[in-house]
Amino acid sequence: MNKPNLLFIYTDEQAFNTLKAYGNDQIDMPNLNRLADRSHVFERMYVTQPVCTPSRSSLLTGLYPHTNGCSENNVPLAQTTKCLPEMVDGDYVTAHFGKWHLGDEVFAQHGFQHWASVEDQYQKYFSEGRDKAARSSYHDHLIAQGLTPKNGDYFSRGEAARLPEELGKPAYVAEMANDFLRTHIDMPFVLYVNFFEPHMPFFSPRDDQYPLESIPLPDNFDHELANDSPLKTRIMKEQFRRHGHSGMALETEDDWKRMIAHYWGLCSLVDTHIGSILDTLEACGLDDSTMIVFTSDHGDMMGAHRLLTKCFMYEEAARVPFLVKLPGQTQGKLISGAFSQIDVVPTILDYLGATGPDGLQGNSLRRWIEAKSEAVPDSDVFMEWSGGNNGLGDVVGEVSTRDWMHEFYKQGEIVAAMSDPVRTVYTQDGWKFNFSQLGEHELFQLTVDPGETDNIYGRTNIEFVNSLVAKIRDWQHRTQDTVPVSPIDR
């Protein structure tokens, strides 16, 4: 096979359980479902860290967050650390359209020759010498349409989310991608397209697409978090109960159904505009020469354990859809087992005929993609948590709190809980162990407890637990992770 083009589509905050291929046929997602029917569908794909910047850093560099330095939100990726477009030969025309969240948001960088940005939230994190008055391509697009920001400076996320669909971010990103495809029919390309949605704020022109009576609550919705659940998890559950999110209350079951309905609407909104890109690819005759990858940077709890957003090691936040369609592929294939997004860059490089730099920390998934019979992967999956992100206004090096928290916890307790470095191993036979620096360890046997409602750490043989600790320590040694992890003595 000649070296293919690459169309890499990724969304922000889309959980694995939003697609028919992963068991949900209630959300109207005809385009992604059609893509899945013609793709290799990875059954269990895990992020390296369930929050935006760290996860994206791995998707672009093939390095864990603790290695590339992007260990929390808004930490910029070093210019000396290569992204995939910098690893392929110069024959490729490269582009990135959409949210970036790896520093200097509105400026083309890291080997991307064409650039269209949609976010204006990160100017204070621009590198020294960058023009902090610079605005996103999407901002300029809306100005050209005759709109004026309500705050006089830039279009906030909330303001953009309330615009008519034809003026929204998904439509703009799709338009940029479609123009690029039409312009580069006869040139090899690497095109990354990132949709900001279904990321918060959880409202859009599709708020009323799904009636509440059609919305099921997660099976683990009523799971009561016990004292053996991490303090961070318990604090955030209370935050959502007290104050809701995106202007919506989260006290009653109907409140949660309304939130989920909005989220489903956002998923359908994105699907429509992904469909536009896929249609353009086919209309341009590029389907037989283009490798398509679809995934997300993390999931969303969306009512599981009555939690919302990301920043947790639970499946709903850490597990994402992952589809790979090879050029000309017409039949789908399910690939069983657990995998990590650390393998995404090596896989793409393999198919693009590039070797990449030394030090990549994953491996190509090509042998699983092209296996003639079902084969179970033979390696464990590892995830990490670093930094103080909690979704309440992430600031580098700080933990965002709310006044009510201080009625029950000391500031030091809150900071420690939110910043607790966690290292996770997921084994191919379904064990998931979260090692906590605070001693808030969790052990789940997902084969019998897929909803993670029974933390059996305290009831499990310590020798077995320490065998899982040893797996984490071995992974740390291989990836130069310096967070202290020691055998447990209880």
Side-chain angles (χ1 to χ4, degrees):
M1 183 175 63
N2 294 327
K3 290 189 296 186
N5 305 312
L6 172 68
L7 171 58
F8 190 103
I9 302 175
Y10 60 131
T11 54
D12 194 328
E13 205 156 320
Q14 184 170 352
F16 75 95
N17 54 9
T18 55
L19 294 181
K20 182 179 180 181
Y22 296 96
N24 190 339
D25 60 0
Q26 296 177 275
I27 308 180
D28 186 26
M29 305 276 276
N31 297 296
L32 282 173
N33 289 337
R34 179 169 61 93
L35 178 63
D37 287 341
R38 300 183 295 148
S39 298
H40 296 83
V41 177
F42 283 74
E43 178 186 32
R44 309 185 77 91
M45 177 60 73
Y46 291 91
V47 302
T48 57
Q49 183 168 327
V51 73
C52 298
T53 295
S55 178
R56 288 162 179 267
S57 72
S58 295
L59 278 175
L60 271 294
T61 69
L63 303 172
Y64 284 99
H66 71 259
T67 301
N68 63 40
C70 294
S71 56
E72 61 178 306
N73 268 354
N74 303 318
V75 174
L77 180 66
Q79 290 300 314
T80 54
T81 301
K82 289 185 177 181
C83 289
L84 186 135
E86 299 168 289
M87 304 177 194
V88 299
D89 64 50
D91 292 338
Y92 283 100
V93 180
T94 60
H96 189 282
F97 302 141
K99 182 182 175 182
W100 175 245
H101 210 177
L102 291 172
D104 293 340
E105 186 76 15
V106 304
F107 304 99
Q109 55 187 285
H110 282 287
F112 287 108
Q113 301 155 340
H114 298 262
W115 191 270
S117 53
V118 297
E119 288 292 283
D120 290 295
Q121 314 293 314
Y122 308 121
Q123 274 78 2
K124 65 180 179 180
Y125 298 112
F126 283 1
S127 300
E128 185 176 353
R130 294 289 198 186
D131 181 8
K132 288 184 169 54
R135 293 293 176 260
S136 69
S137 313
Y138 177 64
H139 172 98
D140 295 340
H141 169 72
L142 292 183
I143 294 295
Q145 302 301 310
L147 279 68
T148 303
K150 292 180 179 179
N151 65 16
D153 188 14
Y154 64 89
F155 296 93
S156 70
R157 287 176 173 174
E159 183 177 1
R162 290 298 193 197
L163 292 175
E165 183 169 335
E166 63 271 17
L167 292 175
K169 292 178 182 179
Y172 172 72
V173 169
E175 178 184 347
M176 297 300 297
N178 290 335
D179 287 346
F180 177 88
L181 291 172
R182 296 185 188 105
T183 305
H184 296 90
I185 290 178
D186 298 321
M187 304 175 68
F189 60 81
V190 168
L191 170 59
Y192 278 70
V193 183
N194 181 242
F195 288 90
F196 172 73
E197 297 77 9
H199 188 285
M200 63 186 84
F202 297 117
F203 47 79
S204 75
R206 303 286 189 96
D207 285 353
D208 298 324
Q209 182 168 344
Y210 295 96
L212 295 195
E213 57 269 22
S214 71
I215 303 296
L217 293 170
D219 290 340
N220 54 3
F221 174 76
D222 282 324
H223 170 232
E224 292 294 334
L225 297 176
N227 288 335
D228 63 354
S229 297
L231 179 58
K232 177 177 79 170
T233 309
R234 288 177 276 141
I235 289 175
M236 292 307 298
K237 181 174 182 176
E238 181 65 11
Q239 167 65 24
F240 297 132
R241 186 191 71 80
R242 286 171 177 252
H243 299 288
H245 201 285
S246 300
M248 292 178 278
L250 289 174
E251 296 183 54
T252 69
E253 290 190 358
D254 277 353
D255 290 340
W256 278 101
K257 288 182 178 182
R258 181 174 295 104
M259 178 65 72
I260 296 169
H262 282 208
Y263 182 73
W264 284 15
L266 283 161
C267 290
S268 291
L269 172 66
V270 169
D271 182 83
T272 294
H273 297 283
I274 289 176
S276 170
I277 299 172
L278 297 178
D279 288 346
T280 299
L281 190 78
E282 291 186 20
C284 290
L286 295 167
D287 194 60
D288 287 342
S289 59
T290 302
M291 177 184 187
I292 304 173
V293 177
F294 172 77
T295 192
S296 192
D297 59 353
H298 52 75
D300 190 291
M301 297 303 296
M302 205 47 61
H305 312 278
R306 296 201 184 213
L307 294 168
L308 198 69
T309 72
K310 55 273 188 179
C311 305
F312 307 100
M313 307 309 278
Y314 286 126
E315 294 287 284
E316 293 84 0
R319 188 177 158 199
V320 290
F322 187 68
L323 313 178
V324 176
K325 181 184 176 298
L326 299 180
Q329 182 177 349
T330 59
Q331 298 295 319
K333 175 184 175 182
L334 177 66
I335 299 181
S336 301
F339 297 87
S340 170
Q341 285 187 337
I342 199 66
D343 298 324
V344 171
V345 166
T347 302
I348 294 173
L349 290 175
D350 192 353
Y351 278 102
L352 267 55
T355 57
D358 293 336
L360 293 181
Q361 294 174 317
N363 298 289
S364 173
L365 299 174
R366 188 168 186 161
R367 67 179 175 128
W368 309 111
I369 292 173
E370 298 181 2
K372 299 301 182 184
S373 59
E374 184 172 336
V376 178
D378 51 8
S379 58
D380 303 312
V381 171
F382 298 91
M383 294 186 290
E384 61 188 82
W385 182 263
S386 302
N389 305 142
N390 58 19
L392 298 181
D394 299 328
V395 179
V396 176
E398 298 181 12
V399 171
S400 297
T401 63
R402 296 293 184 267
D403 289 343
W404 74 264
M405 298 177 186
H406 298 96
E407 299 175 17
F408 301 92
Y409 309 103
K410 296 178 181 179
Q411 176 69 8
E413 291 176 316
I414 300 171
V415 171
M418 297 299 178
S419 305
D420 180 22
V422 174
R423 297 297 184 261
T424 295
V425 58
Y426 179 95
T427 69
Q428 294 297 338
D429 55 354
W431 291 98
K432 184 177 181 182
F433 178 61
N434 301 324
F435 183 98
S436 158
Q437 291 290 302
L438 297 180
E440 298 178 334
H441 311 304
E442 294 177 292
L443 178 63
F444 300 105
Q445 190 176 8
L446 297 188
T447 53
V448 297
D449 179 28
E452 296 169 291
T453 60
D454 185 18
N455 177 11
I456 60 175
Y457 161 71
R459 310 193 306 274
T460 302
N461 181 284
I462 193 62
E463 285 75 18
F464 176 71
V465 171
N466 276 324
S467 72
L468 299 175
V469 173
K471 289 176 179 287
I472 295 174
R473 285 165 59 86
D474 178 66
W475 166 77
Q476 288 187 297
H477 176 74
R478 288 185 280 110
T479 63
Q480 295 81 53
D481 179 29
T482 59
V483 166
V485 172
S486 302
I488 299 170
D489 182 16
R490 66 167 189 245

